[in-house]
Each structure stands twice: as structure tokens, then as C-alpha cells.
Amino acid sequence: MEFFRIRKDIDFMRHALVFNVISLITFLLAVFFLATKGLHLGVEFTGGTVMEVQYGHAVDLDKVRGVLEKSGYSDASVQNFGAADTALVRLPSRQDVSGAQLSEKVLGLLRAADPAVELRRVDFVGSQVGKELVENGALALLLVSVGIVLYLWLRFEWKFGLSAIIANLHDVVIILGFFAFFQWEFSLPVLAAVLAVLGYSVNESVVVFDRIRENFRKMRKATTPQVINNAITRTMSRTIITHGSTQLMVTSILIFGGETLHYFALALTIGILFGIYSSVLVASPLVMWLGVTREDLVRPERKKEEAVV
């Protein structure tokens, strides 16, 4: 399915060096912000108390935040949860008070401001659990990356696998760089979004790589840059349809999903935008720089041996 077809191939590889330099600068900036500012980890990773409270009316989140800030809980996170009359309050761990005592104090403050508030549930996340989540999240990211490399290596050739994983990790690091620079909360839903972007980006890379392999078989006299340019140009309509449809859904979550899904959708938005860029303008140039040739993908035809009489 195509909305349009570009008749003349766009010479993307002519500017391959420029694209790679931009990617390198962006990547280094993201690494710099991660190293200097670090991630603002959520309660799930650092440990703390999560309270779900329900009101008899729509929750005024600003009022709830104001009550907590006046009482010294400026680090509390307050957001809607499920319905307009339900709020989720997240409080980091404190050394001078236990989780149960902390939840009782906060509930007392909320009831003093509005007697209609009711506690629906309270969860305690220990620091050890948070540490395990960080380690398991990093392990999941590593295993996904290794799986992608092995898959592309077996399906195409090692140069494609290496190029794809560099481009996709480039997306992941940039997402983390945004969260470090703006100090957005990095929670479990955001981690899920990062892993989703990793798989989503590799899908686009596979589509382009498939067309490159097909072009090497069809365009016998074309050079490697010409083959790659044709592959990218011929998949542009598909890229716009796929990513445009996905971004429409993610944008609706970003606008109407509330604070619970805000950073999840934000991470996906960044990942989709940079995923398009990296799959087309990072992975493909890297394949060219690594010296992919027709012989890497197309096996030479063997001459049939003459029958011996």
C-alpha cells in the first residue's frame, strides 16, 4: 500500500557523513546529561510508598500537591489514576520514618484538607526491590540488544546486525538523555516504552535491509550507495503510513492519557521520531561504511559441471 511513489531516487547517501556526525553529537550530548544529571528514578526503582486515595468528587491535583508541599513533602508525586476522583500519591523513602508511618501522616494531612478522602490501597517498595528492578531492567535491555544482533546476523549479515544495534541503541540513549536533561520521572512504564522502541525501531531497519538485499539482486550494475538510496526511497511511503498511524495513537495517549501515561507516551514519541531517523539515516549509512557488497548477500551462481560420458 502506498500513498505516493517517488519516481527519482533521493541521494541520501550523499549526506551520510553529515547524518552520522549529527547522530554522534546528539548521542554524546545524551551521554553527557546522563553522566552529569543522571535519571530521576521513580519510586519503583528508588523505593518508597505508593498510596491510592479516592475522593467523592473530581480531585484537584494542584490543591493536593499544595497541601503536601506545605507539610514538607515537596518531593511527592501526585497524579490521577483510573478515574477523575482517584489520585495516586508517590512518596520517596525517608530514613526517619517507616512506610506505614509515612502513609498515615500523609493520609491525615489529606483528610484534614478534605474529609471525603478514603485510602484504597498503599504499597511499600523497599530499596532492595528497587535495586533489583534497575538490574533486571538493564539486563532486559542487554538481552533484547543481543537478540536483535543475532536475529539480523542470521537473517542478513553481521554488518547489518551491527549497524542496526548501533542505530537502535542510539535511540535508547537519546531517550534517556531527554529524561536526564529535563529530569522527567523515569518509571516502569517508561522502561517498557524504551524496550518497545528498541523493538519498534529494528522493525523499520529490517524493512529497509530487506529492500537493500532485494536491490542487490535486481540492480546488478548499481553501486552500493545507489542500491541503498533506492531502498530508502521506495520504503518512504510505507514509513510515513506506519509511523504516522502509530504516532496518532501515541499522541492521543499523550493528550488524553493523563499523568499516569504522560511520560510513557512521551518516551514513545521521542523513540518514534528518532527511530525513523536512525533506521533510515544512521543504520543504512553505517552498513555502507562497513563495506557491504553484493557478494555479502547474493551467493554467486555455481556453474553446472558437465556430465562425464
Side-chain angles (χ1 to χ4, degrees):
M1 179 179 178
E2 292 181 335
F3 281 156
F4 58 88
R5 176 172 292 184
I6 301 174
R7 300 295 178 183
K8 186 178 180 181
D9 293 344
I10 302 174
D11 193 1
F12 291 102
M13 294 304 100
R14 179 182 179 184
H15 308 287
L17 182 60
V18 176
F19 295 139
N20 285 353
V21 169
I22 293 174
S23 300
L24 180 61
I25 293 173
T26 310
F27 179 86
L28 292 177
L29 284 174
V31 172
F32 172 77
F33 293 132
L34 283 170
T36 54
K37 290 191 171 186
L39 291 172
H40 175 47
L41 297 176
V43 172
E44 300 94 332
F45 297 106
T46 60
T49 303
V50 180
M51 300 172 60
E52 182 182 343
V53 293
Q54 187 176 35
Y55 291 76
H57 51 80
V59 184
D60 187 346
L61 298 179
D62 291 332
K63 182 179 178 181
V64 175
R65 294 189 186 101
V67 170
L68 295 177
E69 288 178 2
K70 289 179 181 178
S71 302
Y73 298 102
S74 58
D75 53 356
S77 172
V78 183
Q79 60 191 58
N80 281 115
F81 185 75
D85 64 343
T86 305
L88 198 68
V89 181
R90 296 178 179 176
L91 300 153
S93 299
R94 299 200 172 193
Q95 296 180 352
D96 57 340
V97 63
S98 66
Q101 293 173 335
L102 182 61
S103 62
E104 290 178 2
K105 287 184 178 180
V106 171
L107 183 60
L109 293 171
L110 296 179
R111 281 179 174 167
D114 190 339
V117 66
E118 293 181 2
L119 179 66
R120 297 191 62 181
R121 68 179 175 92
V122 58
D123 296 326
F124 306 105
V125 182
S127 58
Q128 183 61 33
V129 175
K131 182 180 178 182
E132 290 178 0
L133 285 174
V134 173
E135 294 174 352
N136 291 337
L139 181 61
L141 188 62
L142 176 63
L143 291 177
V144 170
S145 302
V146 172
I148 289 173
V149 171
L150 292 177
Y151 166 72
L152 293 177
W153 192 333
L154 293 173
R155 180 165 179 176
F156 298 100
E157 207 258 347
W158 70 267
K159 297 172 185 176
F160 288 88
L162 182 60
S163 301
I165 201 60
I166 291 175
N168 293 337
L169 289 179
H170 157 275
D171 300 339
V172 171
V173 172
I174 287 177
I175 294 173
L176 298 179
F178 269 95
F179 274 79
F181 179 74
F182 292 104
Q183 286 296 288
W184 295 329
E185 183 182 20
F186 189 86
S187 58
L188 280 178
V190 176
L191 176 60
V194 170
L195 293 175
V197 166
L198 197 56
Y200 185 80
S201 296
V202 75
N203 178 64
E204 182 66 25
S205 300
V206 168
V207 171
V208 177
F209 290 168
D210 260 331
R211 184 56 67 94
I212 291 174
R213 180 170 58 183
E214 182 181 341
N215 284 353
F216 269 127
R217 293 171 179 170
K218 293 181 177 180
M219 304 169 64
R220 294 285 180 175
K221 297 182 179 180
T223 62
T224 298
Q226 290 173 337
V227 166
I228 296 176
N229 287 332
N230 180 270
I232 297 174
T233 304
R234 294 294 172 264
T235 56
M236 282 185 66
S237 179
R238 180 261 175 202
T239 298
I240 292 174
I241 295 172
T242 303
H243 292 282
S245 301
T246 307
Q247 188 56 50
L248 281 175
M249 178 208 54
V250 174
T251 302
S252 66
I253 297 175
L254 186 63
I255 297 173
F256 304 108
E259 291 192 27
T260 305
L261 297 174
H262 179 75
Y263 291 123
F264 170 79
L266 195 59
L268 284 177
T269 298
I270 298 171
I272 289 172
L273 294 177
F274 278 93
I276 299 172
Y277 174 81
S278 66
S279 299
V280 175
L281 302 177
V282 177
S284 297
L286 284 175
V287 168
M288 184 180 67
W289 296 130
L290 290 174
V292 68
T293 60
R294 180 174 287 100
E295 288 72 21
D296 292 331
L297 299 173
V298 182
R299 295 180 180 178
E301 297 181 0
R302 296 181 179 179
K303 296 182 178 180
K304 295 182 180 179
E305 296 180 1
E306 296 182 359
V308 179
V309 179

